[in-house]
Amino acid sequence: MAKFLILIYGDEQRWNAMSPQERTEIDEGHRAFQQRAGAAVLAAGELEETATATSLRAGSGGRPAITDGPFLETKEVLGGFYVIQARDLDEAIALAGGLAEVAHDHSGVEVRPLVQHG
């Protein structure tokens, strides 16, 4: 079995402006996803807003330079993730395709295999 990272991206302003009905739809989609995926979900999380992010980059004197905010400023930001176990990419895509964010015009989902060392 391989491991995959499912990254959920979206427009943070649109997420913040969602109606309670839209939020409920998204939340129900995640509950359905977790029920379908079952034990294949190894980890999951929803991220706080990008304003809470702290980025570290190479700095002077061998110490990191620390800045407030996300690593990159983009319209679509990373809002959450799942780490799942699946037989192959096709199975991972089939599971990810059921997330509500796939059907919204302000968000999207990326599926990436994790490197398996050793």
Side-chain angles (χ1 to χ4, degrees):
M1 296 286 270
K3 292 180 183 170
F4 296 87
L5 180 62
I6 298 174
L7 300 166
I8 301 166
Y9 291 94
D11 182 325
E12 192 168 54
Q13 290 178 348
R14 291 277 305 273
W15 280 337
N16 291 335
M18 271 189 210
S19 69
Q21 180 182 355
E22 288 175 305
R23 175 52 84 176
T24 298
E25 177 189 331
I26 297 284
D27 290 345
E28 287 174 358
H30 284 280
R31 281 191 289 280
F33 170 82
Q34 291 177 2
Q35 194 169 43
R36 263 191 329 276
V41 176
L42 304 176
E46 179 178 356
L47 302 176
E48 292 287 345
E49 294 183 16
T50 57
T52 66
T54 302
S55 296
L56 289 79
R57 296 177 185 252
S60 62
R63 299 184 59 142
I66 301 171
T67 57
D68 291 337
F71 189 70
L72 298 173
E73 291 193 26
T74 63
K75 181 179 176 185
E76 290 185 336
V77 298
L78 181 61
F81 69 93
Y82 287 97
V83 177
I84 64 166
Q85 199 163 1
R87 284 186 307 276
D88 54 29
L89 181 60
D90 290 336
E91 182 180 24
I93 290 171
L95 284 170
L99 288 166
E101 286 85 353
V102 173
H104 288 261
D105 66 349
H106 59 84
S107 58
V109 173
E110 178 181 351
V111 178
R112 294 183 62 182
L114 296 178
V115 175
Q116 297 184 35
H117 293 280

